[in-house]
Amino acid sequence: MIDKIFNPSSVAIIGATERENSVGRSIVENLLVSGIDLFFVNSRIKVIFDKETYSNITEIKENIDLAVVVVPKIAVSKVIDDCVEKKVGGVVIISSGFAEEGEQGKALQKEIKEKLDNAEIPFVGPNSLGILRPPLDFNVSFSPGNPNKGGIAFISQSGGLIDALIDGSETSSYGFSFIVSVGNAAGLDIADYINFINQDENTKVIALYIEGVKDGRKLFEAVKSSDKPIIILKAGRTPKTIEAVSSHTGSLAGEYRIFSAALKQAGAFEVDSFEELFDTAKALDFQNTNKGDVGIVTNGGGAGVLIADLIYESGLSLAKLEGIKNPYDILGDASCKKYKHACEAVIKQKEVSQLVVIQTPQAVTEFSKNVEMITELQKYNKPIVTVLMGFGKETKSAINYLEKSKIPSYSDPRRAIKPILALSRDFKK
Amino acid sequence: MILSYNEQEAILGKYNLQTAFSGLATTEEKAVILAEKIGYPVVMKISSQKHLHRTEIEGVFLDVENKEDVLNTFSRLTEIEDIDGVIIQKKIKGLEFIIGAKIDASFGPVIMFGSGGVMVELFNDVAFRVAPINKNEALDMIEEIKGKKLLEGFRGFPEMNKNYLADILVNVSSIIYNENIKEVDFNPVIVNEEGGFICDVKMLI
């Protein structure tokens, strides 16, 4: 049933408008490229983008799979009545000013929830930025643009973080299969989205930004039964910030510990920052996981020791290599030939389940030859992570080459750690 | 509300859990008979459905050495109001841990395991899981706390069998999941070479 929301054949936009700098116009513009049958509902404007409007959704003769609600909050309740009468398949409520705005808003949210629940119509929001499925060119949101297509599904309790992600997405190497702004999650919640996205063939990894959940048990079960790796960034970890997220009282400090323990038990991988969330998601999208120990090849001793420290601290192990030290330091004058010989010697060993290649930009470093060689190592079917230190032109174009070939690259050993850790895990339960 | 001694014992029995050898005495004669049967030293403490924190009202005596001691302790304990009797229990030596379970507002039945005594107060050395758990998950929980080092033979402590604790954890997780109980508190659970002994039980409904 929720398929009507995520894969509709017909969409009605209630509150559609051509007015510049409006949420209603952004949604119309984003949806126009989808090729889906669109119906604009506006009681005051007769024509929008050369299309005649309807003054009420109930006037539309065709079936409506999805109704998108972008009207001011005082009009939402009436619009929901109309959606129920029209028997729409699902609703996305973009309008804000509900539970996030105090008691009156809470009451209003409860009212619309009851109406839709009674009619058994699933809904997203309210206070949602919307939903995007880039591989299907489906964008029912007021996002400032369209993100790259890729294998990451991002489910977020913050619309702002979604915008931050889409802003400049064209310059990043990774892309998205799904972006869901859950809003106040009065209807569908994060667990429902996980269950749906788990069936999506375009999605390889699910990234979550969570502030708080009402039904932790349902989330636990959804994460546990997911076949895809799930990465979680949780905000509201300290008693003070929990207050900011909700007005809960009681044993607050304990709550994050239970959340964190439960999600870990369900098989999720927890990270500590927005940067880590997508550094890790990118790695899991680009490469396949392989449980076990890590082998390192480096042309810089310092970088090798730095990453070895971090690997041990994170609880991972460096593989014991036959006849070679790990990290394998091939020294600063290493040619591509030497790199190739070393990388193959390491990746071929049975004890190595993942290869980490570090490059520091030295006088004789063969940047473009090296990355071509690393790309060819993918034939060994083991995950590869690279750390290319330095910020020069040649380093940057080497990173671009690697990431276009789906080999994740990081500028600092520290940033590579969570991705290495995630790739060395067995996400299958 | 706290369950009575006998109600708690019945639930523990159903889940193959045993408290350290103990009995409930309502008369001083019975107290002496139990103490002699168990063997000195014994622990004596009030059994009460009213008092949550027995130590604070001096309701627990840890080293009762002989018959005279039993009689004196019995009369002191029975001065406390709202008690069902006095529990006489074998004094167990070993490493102390705590096991708890409760119904979390968001995650439902959850179970907690931690180092006992000062470790839990000072370092909050605890691990949580959503109940029910299996034996592997229980062993994982034990691995997670810092106090596990004591179980592995730190500084001459004999190596203790983690399986004893894991079995208790699995069964407690079944209690909180299946029974109509709000909270379970085993504090302490003492582990030694012979096994894991639940020395104090509180169940709230």
Side-chain angles (χ1 to χ4, degrees), chain A residues 213-217 220 251 254-255 257-259 261-265, chain B residues 102 104 106-107 109-110 124 126 128-133 137 144 177:
Chain A
V213 283
K214 271 171 240 140
D215 193 344
R217 191 83 186 191
F220 172 80
S251 59
E255 283 184 2
R257 298 189 66 170
I258 292 177
F259 179 94
L263 274 287
K264 186 178 151 205
Q265 182 185 354
Chain B
K102 67 166 190 173
D104 180 77
S106 180
F107 285 92
V110 295
N124 207 0
V126 294
F128 291 95
R129 289 293 183 279
V130 172
I133 56 171
E137 287 172 311
E144 208 174 293
Y177 189 72

Side-chain angles (χ1 to χ4, degrees), chain A residues 95-148:
Chain A
S95 313
S96 60
F98 295 87
E100 79 278 14
E101 260 190 19
E103 288 308 315
Q104 218 184 338
K106 249 184 211 166
L108 200 54
Q109 182 170 309
K110 194 169 166 243
E111 185 185 318
I112 57 172
K113 177 179 169 55
E114 274 168 12
K115 286 177 182 178
L116 288 165
D117 284 353
N118 286 339
E120 292 179 10
I121 297 172
F123 68 103
V124 178
N127 189 28
S128 165
L129 178 86
I131 304 161
L132 298 91
R133 293 183 80 174
L136 310 185
D137 293 316
F138 176 59
N139 181 346
V140 51
S141 83
F142 61 103
S143 69
N146 282 298
N148 295 342

Side-chain angles (χ1 to χ4, degrees), chain A residues 4 37 41 75 79 122 153 188 206 215 236 247 264 299 330 334 392-393:
Chain A
K4 292 267 203 288
D37 283 343
V41 179
V79 161
L188 296 170
I206 300 173
D215 193 344
S247 54
K264 186 178 151 205
N299 71 341
I330 54 172
K393 229 177 166 177

